[in-house]
Amino acid sequence: MGITSYTDKIIGELSRSLRAVPEDAVEQLAEGILASRKIFVAGAGRSGLMMKALAMRLMQAGLDAHVVGETITPGIAKEDMLII
Protein backbone atom coordinates (compact mmCIF):
# COMPACT_ATOMS: atom_id res chain seq x y z
CA MET A 1 0.00 0.00 0.00
CA GLY A 2 1.42 3.40 -1.00
CA ILE A 3 1.43 6.69 0.85
CA THR A 4 -1.70 7.90 -0.96
CA SER A 5 -3.63 4.81 0.08
CA TYR A 6 -2.53 5.19 3.69
CA THR A 7 -3.46 8.88 3.65
CA ASP A 8 -6.91 8.11 2.21
CA LYS A 9 -7.47 5.45 4.89
CA ILE A 10 -6.43 7.84 7.70
CA ILE A 11 -8.66 10.63 6.38
CA GLY A 12 -11.56 8.19 6.13
CA GLU A 13 -11.08 7.04 9.73
CA LEU A 14 -10.87 10.64 10.97
CA SER A 15 -14.02 11.56 9.03
CA ARG A 16 -15.96 8.62 10.54
CA SER A 17 -14.79 9.57 14.03
CA LEU A 18 -15.75 13.23 13.61
CA ARG A 19 -19.20 12.34 12.28
CA ALA A 20 -19.81 10.29 15.45
CA VAL A 21 -19.42 13.38 17.68
CA PRO A 22 -22.50 15.63 17.89
CA GLU A 23 -21.76 19.19 16.73
CA ASP A 24 -23.43 20.70 19.77
CA ALA A 25 -21.08 18.72 22.02
CA VAL A 26 -18.07 20.21 20.22
CA GLU A 27 -19.55 23.71 20.54
CA GLN A 28 -20.25 23.16 24.24
CA LEU A 29 -16.66 22.01 24.85
CA ALA A 30 -15.20 24.98 22.94
CA GLU A 31 -17.41 27.44 24.82
CA GLY A 32 -16.47 25.83 28.13
CA ILE A 33 -12.76 26.06 27.34
CA LEU A 34 -13.04 29.73 26.37
CA ALA A 35 -15.09 30.55 29.48
CA SER A 36 -12.65 28.84 31.87
CA ARG A 37 -10.03 30.72 33.86
CA LYS A 38 -7.55 27.83 33.53
CA ILE A 39 -7.74 24.57 31.57
CA PHE A 40 -6.21 21.39 32.99
CA VAL A 41 -5.71 18.23 30.95
CA ALA A 42 -4.85 14.68 32.01
CA GLY A 43 -4.45 11.29 30.40
CA ALA A 44 -2.28 8.19 30.36
CA GLY A 45 -0.19 6.62 27.62
CA ARG A 46 -0.92 7.82 24.10
CA SER A 47 -4.00 9.68 25.33
CA GLY A 48 -1.82 11.54 27.82
CA LEU A 49 0.58 12.48 25.05
CA MET A 50 -2.32 13.88 23.01
CA MET A 51 -3.56 15.81 26.06
CA LYS A 52 -0.10 17.36 26.44
CA ALA A 53 -0.26 18.34 22.77
CA LEU A 54 -3.71 19.88 23.38
CA ALA A 55 -2.37 21.85 26.36
CA MET A 56 0.48 23.15 24.23
CA ARG A 57 -1.91 24.26 21.47
CA LEU A 58 -4.20 25.95 24.01
CA MET A 59 -1.20 27.79 25.46
CA GLN A 60 -0.11 28.83 21.96
CA ALA A 61 -3.63 30.23 21.47
CA GLY A 62 -3.12 32.41 24.54
CA LEU A 63 -5.11 30.33 27.03
CA ASP A 64 -3.90 29.34 30.50
CA ALA A 65 -3.50 25.56 30.07
CA HIS A 66 -1.74 23.02 32.32
CA VAL A 67 -1.01 19.29 32.43
CA VAL A 68 -2.09 17.55 35.64
CA GLY A 69 0.82 15.90 37.44
CA GLU A 70 3.59 18.16 36.19
CA THR A 71 5.78 19.71 38.89
CA ILE A 72 4.71 23.29 38.11
CA THR A 73 0.96 22.66 37.69
CA PRO A 74 -1.03 25.14 39.82
CA GLY A 75 -4.05 24.22 41.90
CA ILE A 76 -7.44 23.82 40.29
CA ALA A 77 -10.42 25.99 41.28
CA LYS A 78 -14.16 26.06 40.65
CA GLU A 79 -13.93 28.35 37.61
CA ASP A 80 -11.34 26.11 35.90
CA MET A 81 -11.93 23.21 33.49
CA LEU A 82 -10.50 19.69 33.74
CA ILE A 83 -10.40 17.64 30.52
CA ILE A 84 -9.62 13.94 30.92
Side-chain angles (χ1 to χ4, degrees), residues 45-77:
R46 286 178 284 187
S47 296
L49 183 60
M50 291 300 95
M51 289 306 220
K52 287 181 178 184
L54 173 61
M56 183 184 302
R57 292 296 185 190
L58 292 172
M59 288 172 39
Q60 291 170 342
L63 301 173
D64 192 5
H66 305 276
V67 177
V68 173
E70 297 294 326
T71 56
I72 59 169
T73 302
I76 191 167

PDB file of all heavy atoms in Angstrom, residues 45-77:
ATOM      1  N   GLY A  45      -0.655   7.234  28.864  1.00  0.00           N
ATOM      2  CA  GLY A  45      -0.195   6.619  27.624  1.00  0.00           C
ATOM      3  C   GLY A  45      -0.311   7.550  26.440  1.00  0.00           C
ATOM      4  O   GLY A  45      -0.026   8.742  26.524  1.00  0.00           O
ATOM      5  N   ARG A  46      -0.782   6.997  25.307  1.00  0.00           N
ATOM      6  CA  ARG A  46      -0.923   7.821  24.097  1.00  0.00           C
ATOM      7  C   ARG A  46      -1.954   8.926  24.282  1.00  0.00           C
ATOM      8  O   ARG A  46      -1.795  10.028  23.751  1.00  0.00           O
ATOM      9  CB  ARG A  46      -1.304   6.943  22.906  1.00  0.00           C
ATOM     10  CG  ARG A  46      -0.134   6.100  22.411  1.00  0.00           C
ATOM     11  CD  ARG A  46      -0.550   5.227  21.277  1.00  0.00           C
ATOM     12  NE  ARG A  46      -1.331   4.111  21.818  1.00  0.00           N
ATOM     13  CZ  ARG A  46      -1.757   3.080  21.129  1.00  0.00           C
ATOM     14  NH1 ARG A  46      -1.503   3.004  19.851  1.00  0.00           N
ATOM     15  NH2 ARG A  46      -2.442   2.115  21.696  1.00  0.00           N
ATOM     16  N   SER A  47      -2.999   8.639  25.057  1.00  0.00           N
ATOM     17  CA  SER A  47      -4.003   9.683  25.325  1.00  0.00           C
ATOM     18  C   SER A  47      -3.377  10.826  26.108  1.00  0.00           C
ATOM     19  O   SER A  47      -3.674  11.997  25.867  1.00  0.00           O
ATOM     20  CB  SER A  47      -5.177   9.099  26.107  1.00  0.00           C
ATOM     21  OG  SER A  47      -5.847   8.133  25.335  1.00  0.00           O
ATOM     22  N   GLY A  48      -2.514  10.502  27.060  1.00  0.00           N
ATOM     23  CA  GLY A  48      -1.819  11.535  27.823  1.00  0.00           C
ATOM     24  C   GLY A  48      -0.927  12.381  26.936  1.00  0.00           C
ATOM     25  O   GLY A  48      -0.848  13.604  27.100  1.00  0.00           O
ATOM     26  N   LEU A  49      -0.271  11.745  25.991  1.00  0.00           N
ATOM     27  CA  LEU A  49       0.577  12.479  25.053  1.00  0.00           C
ATOM     28  C   LEU A  49      -0.261  13.447  24.221  1.00  0.00           C
ATOM     29  O   LEU A  49       0.122  14.605  24.005  1.00  0.00           O
ATOM     30  CB  LEU A  49       1.317  11.499  24.138  1.00  0.00           C
ATOM     31  CG  LEU A  49       2.290  12.102  23.141  1.00  0.00           C
ATOM     32  CD1 LEU A  49       3.400  12.871  23.843  1.00  0.00           C
ATOM     33  CD2 LEU A  49       2.868  11.012  22.255  1.00  0.00           C
ATOM     34  N   MET A  50      -1.438  13.005  23.791  1.00  0.00           N
ATOM     35  CA  MET A  50      -2.323  13.882  23.008  1.00  0.00           C
ATOM     36  C   MET A  50      -2.861  15.018  23.869  1.00  0.00           C
ATOM     37  O   MET A  50      -3.040  16.141  23.390  1.00  0.00           O
ATOM     38  CB  MET A  50      -3.483  13.083  22.408  1.00  0.00           C
ATOM     39  CG  MET A  50      -3.057  12.110  21.324  1.00  0.00           C
ATOM     40  SD  MET A  50      -2.259  12.910  19.905  1.00  0.00           S
ATOM     41  CE  MET A  50      -0.524  12.752  20.305  1.00  0.00           C
ATOM     42  N   MET A  51      -3.100  14.754  25.161  1.00  0.00           N
ATOM     43  CA  MET A  51      -3.558  15.814  26.056  1.00  0.00           C
ATOM     44  C   MET A  51      -2.456  16.856  26.256  1.00  0.00           C
ATOM     45  O   MET A  51      -2.739  18.050  26.323  1.00  0.00           O
ATOM     46  CB  MET A  51      -4.000  15.233  27.397  1.00  0.00           C
ATOM     47  CG  MET A  51      -5.297  14.470  27.284  1.00  0.00           C
ATOM     48  SD  MET A  51      -6.584  15.483  26.535  1.00  0.00           S
ATOM     49  CE  MET A  51      -7.950  15.024  27.510  1.00  0.00           C
ATOM     50  N   LYS A  52      -1.215  16.410  26.341  1.00  0.00           N
ATOM     51  CA  LYS A  52      -0.102  17.361  26.443  1.00  0.00           C
ATOM     52  C   LYS A  52      -0.023  18.210  25.176  1.00  0.00           C
ATOM     53  O   LYS A  52       0.227  19.414  25.237  1.00  0.00           O
ATOM     54  CB  LYS A  52       1.213  16.620  26.676  1.00  0.00           C
ATOM     55  CG  LYS A  52       1.340  16.062  28.079  1.00  0.00           C
ATOM     56  CD  LYS A  52       2.664  15.352  28.270  1.00  0.00           C
ATOM     57  CE  LYS A  52       2.775  14.842  29.697  1.00  0.00           C
ATOM     58  NZ  LYS A  52       4.076  14.226  29.962  1.00  0.00           N
ATOM     59  N   ALA A  53      -0.256  17.591  24.029  1.00  0.00           N
ATOM     60  CA  ALA A  53      -0.261  18.343  22.768  1.00  0.00           C
ATOM     61  C   ALA A  53      -1.410  19.351  22.760  1.00  0.00           C
ATOM     62  O   ALA A  53      -1.240  20.493  22.315  1.00  0.00           O
ATOM     63  CB  ALA A  53      -0.388  17.385  21.583  1.00  0.00           C
ATOM     64  N   LEU A  54      -2.574  18.952  23.285  1.00  0.00           N
ATOM     65  CA  LEU A  54      -3.707  19.877  23.378  1.00  0.00           C
ATOM     66  C   LEU A  54      -3.361  21.056  24.281  1.00  0.00           C
ATOM     67  O   LEU A  54      -3.619  22.208  23.925  1.00  0.00           O
ATOM     68  CB  LEU A  54      -4.948  19.154  23.901  1.00  0.00           C
ATOM     69  CG  LEU A  54      -6.156  20.049  24.205  1.00  0.00           C
ATOM     70  CD1 LEU A  54      -6.640  20.776  22.951  1.00  0.00           C
ATOM     71  CD2 LEU A  54      -7.265  19.230  24.841  1.00  0.00           C
ATOM     72  N   ALA A  55      -2.757  20.770  25.440  1.00  0.00           N
ATOM     73  CA  ALA A  55      -2.373  21.846  26.361  1.00  0.00           C
ATOM     74  C   ALA A  55      -1.405  22.810  25.683  1.00  0.00           C
ATOM     75  O   ALA A  55      -1.529  24.034  25.829  1.00  0.00           O
ATOM     76  CB  ALA A  55      -1.750  21.268  27.629  1.00  0.00           C
ATOM     77  N   MET A  56      -0.477  22.292  24.922  1.00  0.00           N
ATOM     78  CA  MET A  56       0.482  23.152  24.228  1.00  0.00           C
ATOM     79  C   MET A  56      -0.237  24.041  23.218  1.00  0.00           C
ATOM     80  O   MET A  56       0.030  25.247  23.136  1.00  0.00           O
ATOM     81  CB  MET A  56       1.542  22.316  23.510  1.00  0.00           C
ATOM     82  CG  MET A  56       2.600  23.172  22.833  1.00  0.00           C
ATOM     83  SD  MET A  56       3.808  22.238  21.867  1.00  0.00           S
ATOM     84  CE  MET A  56       4.488  21.161  23.093  1.00  0.00           C
ATOM     85  N   ARG A  57      -1.173  23.475  22.456  1.00  0.00           N
ATOM     86  CA  ARG A  57      -1.912  24.264  21.469  1.00  0.00           C
ATOM     87  C   ARG A  57      -2.775  25.330  22.153  1.00  0.00           C
ATOM     88  O   ARG A  57      -2.888  26.458  21.669  1.00  0.00           O
ATOM     89  CB  ARG A  57      -2.801  23.364  20.600  1.00  0.00           C
ATOM     90  CG  ARG A  57      -2.011  22.467  19.694  1.00  0.00           C
ATOM     91  CD  ARG A  57      -1.229  23.262  18.697  1.00  0.00           C
ATOM     92  NE  ARG A  57      -0.563  22.369  17.762  1.00  0.00           N
ATOM     93  CZ  ARG A  57       0.339  22.750  16.907  1.00  0.00           C
ATOM     94  NH1 ARG A  57       0.710  24.013  16.868  1.00  0.00           N
ATOM     95  NH2 ARG A  57       0.893  21.894  16.099  1.00  0.00           N
ATOM     96  N   LEU A  58      -3.389  24.974  23.277  1.00  0.00           N
ATOM     97  CA  LEU A  58      -4.200  25.951  24.010  1.00  0.00           C
ATOM     98  C   LEU A  58      -3.320  27.095  24.511  1.00  0.00           C
ATOM     99  O   LEU A  58      -3.715  28.266  24.432  1.00  0.00           O
ATOM    100  CB  LEU A  58      -4.932  25.277  25.171  1.00  0.00           C
ATOM    101  CG  LEU A  58      -6.030  24.279  24.783  1.00  0.00           C
ATOM    102  CD1 LEU A  58      -6.538  23.544  26.019  1.00  0.00           C
ATOM    103  CD2 LEU A  58      -7.162  24.963  24.040  1.00  0.00           C
ATOM    104  N   MET A  59      -2.133  26.760  25.000  1.00  0.00           N
ATOM    105  CA  MET A  59      -1.205  27.792  25.460  1.00  0.00           C
ATOM    106  C   MET A  59      -0.767  28.670  24.290  1.00  0.00           C
ATOM    107  O   MET A  59      -0.688  29.893  24.418  1.00  0.00           O
ATOM    108  CB  MET A  59       0.012  27.159  26.140  1.00  0.00           C
ATOM    109  CG  MET A  59      -0.310  26.569  27.495  1.00  0.00           C
ATOM    110  SD  MET A  59       1.012  25.599  28.267  1.00  0.00           S
ATOM    111  CE  MET A  59       2.475  26.468  27.887  1.00  0.00           C
ATOM    112  N   GLN A  60      -0.507  28.061  23.138  1.00  0.00           N
ATOM    113  CA  GLN A  60      -0.113  28.828  21.963  1.00  0.00           C
ATOM    114  C   GLN A  60      -1.234  29.752  21.491  1.00  0.00           C
ATOM    115  O   GLN A  60      -0.978  30.778  20.865  1.00  0.00           O
ATOM    116  CB  GLN A  60       0.312  27.885  20.833  1.00  0.00           C
ATOM    117  CG  GLN A  60       1.611  27.179  21.128  1.00  0.00           C
ATOM    118  CD  GLN A  60       1.917  26.066  20.145  1.00  0.00           C
ATOM    119  OE1 GLN A  60       1.051  25.574  19.433  1.00  0.00           O
ATOM    120  NE2 GLN A  60       3.176  25.634  20.130  1.00  0.00           N
ATOM    121  N   ALA A  61      -2.476  29.390  21.821  1.00  0.00           N
ATOM    122  CA  ALA A  61      -3.626  30.228  21.473  1.00  0.00           C
ATOM    123  C   ALA A  61      -3.872  31.315  22.520  1.00  0.00           C
ATOM    124  O   ALA A  61      -4.830  32.067  22.420  1.00  0.00           O
ATOM    125  CB  ALA A  61      -4.871  29.362  21.317  1.00  0.00           C
ATOM    126  N   GLY A  62      -3.009  31.371  23.531  1.00  0.00           N
ATOM    127  CA  GLY A  62      -3.117  32.415  24.543  1.00  0.00           C
ATOM    128  C   GLY A  62      -3.943  32.040  25.761  1.00  0.00           C
ATOM    129  O   GLY A  62      -4.229  32.897  26.599  1.00  0.00           O
ATOM    130  N   LEU A  63      -4.332  30.774  25.877  1.00  0.00           N
ATOM    131  CA  LEU A  63      -5.111  30.332  27.030  1.00  0.00           C
ATOM    132  C   LEU A  63      -4.187  29.808  28.120  1.00  0.00           C
ATOM    133  O   LEU A  63      -3.041  29.416  27.860  1.00  0.00           O
ATOM    134  CB  LEU A  63      -6.114  29.258  26.608  1.00  0.00           C
ATOM    135  CG  LEU A  63      -7.116  29.714  25.537  1.00  0.00           C
ATOM    136  CD1 LEU A  63      -7.954  28.541  25.056  1.00  0.00           C
ATOM    137  CD2 LEU A  63      -8.002  30.820  26.063  1.00  0.00           C
ATOM    138  N   ASP A  64      -4.677  29.783  29.346  1.00  0.00           N
ATOM    139  CA  ASP A  64      -3.900  29.339  30.503  1.00  0.00           C
ATOM    140  C   ASP A  64      -4.140  27.841  30.695  1.00  0.00           C
ATOM    141  O   ASP A  64      -5.097  27.433  31.353  1.00  0.00           O
ATOM    142  CB  ASP A  64      -4.331  30.135  31.737  1.00  0.00           C
ATOM    143  CG  ASP A  64      -3.398  29.959  32.916  1.00  0.00           C
ATOM    144  OD1 ASP A  64      -2.359  29.285  32.764  1.00  0.00           O
ATOM    145  OD2 ASP A  64      -3.720  30.504  33.985  1.00  0.00           O
ATOM    146  N   ALA A  65      -3.311  27.010  30.068  1.00  0.00           N
ATOM    147  CA  ALA A  65      -3.496  25.555  30.071  1.00  0.00           C
ATOM    148  C   ALA A  65      -2.364  24.865  30.818  1.00  0.00           C
ATOM    149  O   ALA A  65      -1.212  25.316  30.765  1.00  0.00           O
ATOM    150  CB  ALA A  65      -3.573  25.036  28.644  1.00  0.00           C
ATOM    151  N   HIS A  66      -2.709  23.755  31.495  1.00  0.00           N
ATOM    152  CA  HIS A  66      -1.741  23.018  32.316  1.00  0.00           C
ATOM    153  C   HIS A  66      -1.982  21.522  32.210  1.00  0.00           C
ATOM    154  O   HIS A  66      -3.103  21.077  31.982  1.00  0.00           O
ATOM    155  CB  HIS A  66      -1.862  23.437  33.785  1.00  0.00           C
ATOM    156  CG  HIS A  66      -1.717  24.907  33.987  1.00  0.00           C
ATOM    157  ND1 HIS A  66      -0.503  25.516  34.107  1.00  0.00           N
ATOM    158  CD2 HIS A  66      -2.649  25.890  34.042  1.00  0.00           C
ATOM    159  CE1 HIS A  66      -0.690  26.822  34.260  1.00  0.00           C
ATOM    160  NE2 HIS A  66      -1.984  27.069  34.215  1.00  0.00           N
ATOM    161  N   VAL A  67      -0.920  20.745  32.419  1.00  0.00           N
ATOM    162  CA  VAL A  67      -1.007  19.289  32.427  1.00  0.00           C
ATOM    163  C   VAL A  67      -0.980  18.824  33.885  1.00  0.00           C
ATOM    164  O   VAL A  67      -0.059  19.155  34.631  1.00  0.00           O
ATOM    165  CB  VAL A  67       0.171  18.657  31.638  1.00  0.00           C
ATOM    166  CG1 VAL A  67       0.111  17.143  31.702  1.00  0.00           C
ATOM    167  CG2 VAL A  67       0.157  19.148  30.198  1.00  0.00           C
ATOM    168  N   VAL A  68      -2.004  18.066  34.279  1.00  0.00           N
ATOM    169  CA  VAL A  68      -2.091  17.545  35.639  1.00  0.00           C
ATOM    170  C   VAL A  68      -0.904  16.609  35.901  1.00  0.00           C
ATOM    171  O   VAL A  68      -0.557  15.787  35.063  1.00  0.00           O
ATOM    172  CB  VAL A  68      -3.420  16.785  35.844  1.00  0.00           C
ATOM    173  CG1 VAL A  68      -3.453  16.093  37.200  1.00  0.00           C
ATOM    174  CG2 VAL A  68      -4.593  17.740  35.695  1.00  0.00           C
ATOM    175  N   GLY A  69      -0.283  16.780  37.047  1.00  0.00           N
ATOM    176  CA  GLY A  69       0.816  15.903  37.442  1.00  0.00           C
ATOM    177  C   GLY A  69       2.194  16.460  37.173  1.00  0.00           C
ATOM    178  O   GLY A  69       3.179  15.919  37.648  1.00  0.00           O
ATOM    179  N   GLU A  70       2.285  17.544  36.417  1.00  0.00           N
ATOM    180  CA  GLU A  70       3.588  18.164  36.192  1.00  0.00           C
ATOM    181  C   GLU A  70       4.001  18.911  37.463  1.00  0.00           C
ATOM    182  O   GLU A  70       3.148  19.317  38.254  1.00  0.00           O
ATOM    183  CB  GLU A  70       3.531  19.125  34.999  1.00  0.00           C
ATOM    184  CG  GLU A  70       3.218  18.454  33.668  1.00  0.00           C
ATOM    185  CD  GLU A  70       4.311  17.509  33.187  1.00  0.00           C
ATOM    186  OE1 GLU A  70       5.490  17.796  33.439  1.00  0.00           O
ATOM    187  OE2 GLU A  70       3.978  16.501  32.559  1.00  0.00           O
ATOM    188  N   THR A  71       5.290  19.107  37.642  1.00  0.00           N
ATOM    189  CA  THR A  71       5.778  19.711  38.891  1.00  0.00           C
ATOM    190  C   THR A  71       5.363  21.164  39.061  1.00  0.00           C
ATOM    191  O   THR A  71       5.295  21.643  40.191  1.00  0.00           O
ATOM    192  CB  THR A  71       7.319  19.625  38.962  1.00  0.00           C
ATOM    193  OG1 THR A  71       7.869  20.248  37.804  1.00  0.00           O
ATOM    194  CG2 THR A  71       7.777  18.185  39.042  1.00  0.00           C
ATOM    195  N   ILE A  72       5.060  21.867  37.985  1.00  0.00           N
ATOM    196  CA  ILE A  72       4.708  23.289  38.109  1.00  0.00           C
ATOM    197  C   ILE A  72       3.214  23.548  37.879  1.00  0.00           C
ATOM    198  O   ILE A  72       2.797  24.688  37.703  1.00  0.00           O
ATOM    199  CB  ILE A  72       5.541  24.154  37.143  1.00  0.00           C
ATOM    200  CG1 ILE A  72       5.305  23.715  35.701  1.00  0.00           C
ATOM    201  CG2 ILE A  72       7.019  24.098  37.499  1.00  0.00           C
ATOM    202  CD1 ILE A  72       5.867  24.679  34.680  1.00  0.00           C
ATOM    203  N   THR A  73       2.398  22.496  37.899  1.00  0.00           N
ATOM    204  CA  THR A  73       0.964  22.664  37.695  1.00  0.00           C
ATOM    205  C   THR A  73       0.341  23.345  38.905  1.00  0.00           C
ATOM    206  O   THR A  73       0.495  22.876  40.031  1.00  0.00           O
ATOM    207  CB  THR A  73       0.283  21.294  37.460  1.00  0.00           C
ATOM    208  OG1 THR A  73       0.895  20.680  36.329  1.00  0.00           O
ATOM    209  CG2 THR A  73      -1.202  21.451  37.213  1.00  0.00           C
ATOM    210  N   PRO A  74      -0.387  24.453  38.688  1.00  0.00           N
ATOM    211  CA  PRO A  74      -1.031  25.142  39.818  1.00  0.00           C
ATOM    212  C   PRO A  74      -2.254  24.367  40.307  1.00  0.00           C
ATOM    213  O   PRO A  74      -2.678  23.392  39.675  1.00  0.00           O
ATOM    214  CB  PRO A  74      -1.442  26.492  39.212  1.00  0.00           C
ATOM    215  CG  PRO A  74      -1.628  26.217  37.769  1.00  0.00           C
ATOM    216  CD  PRO A  74      -0.624  25.141  37.421  1.00  0.00           C
ATOM    217  N   GLY A  75      -2.834  24.835  41.388  1.00  0.00           N
ATOM    218  CA  GLY A  75      -4.047  24.217  41.903  1.00  0.00           C
ATOM    219  C   GLY A  75      -5.243  24.518  41.014  1.00  0.00           C
ATOM    220  O   GLY A  75      -5.271  25.515  40.304  1.00  0.00           O
ATOM    221  N   ILE A  76      -6.231  23.654  41.078  1.00  0.00           N
ATOM    222  CA  ILE A  76      -7.436  23.823  40.285  1.00  0.00           C
ATOM    223  C   ILE A  76      -8.523  24.453  41.160  1.00  0.00           C
ATOM    224  O   ILE A  76      -8.591  24.184  42.359  1.00  0.00           O
ATOM    225  CB  ILE A  76      -7.895  22.484  39.676  1.00  0.00           C
ATOM    226  CG1 ILE A  76      -8.985  22.699  38.628  1.00  0.00           C
ATOM    227  CG2 ILE A  76      -8.310  21.505  40.746  1.00  0.00           C
ATOM    228  CD1 ILE A  76      -9.255  21.469  37.771  1.00  0.00           C
ATOM    229  N   ALA A  77      -9.345  25.308  40.562  1.00  0.00           N
ATOM    230  CA  ALA A  77     -10.416  25.990  41.282  1.00  0.00           C
ATOM    231  C   ALA A  77     -11.744  25.796  40.553  1.00  0.00           C
ATOM    232  O   ALA A  77     -11.793  25.256  39.439  1.00  0.00           O
ATOM    233  CB  ALA A  77     -10.091  27.486  41.392  1.00  0.00           C
TER     234      ALA A  77
END
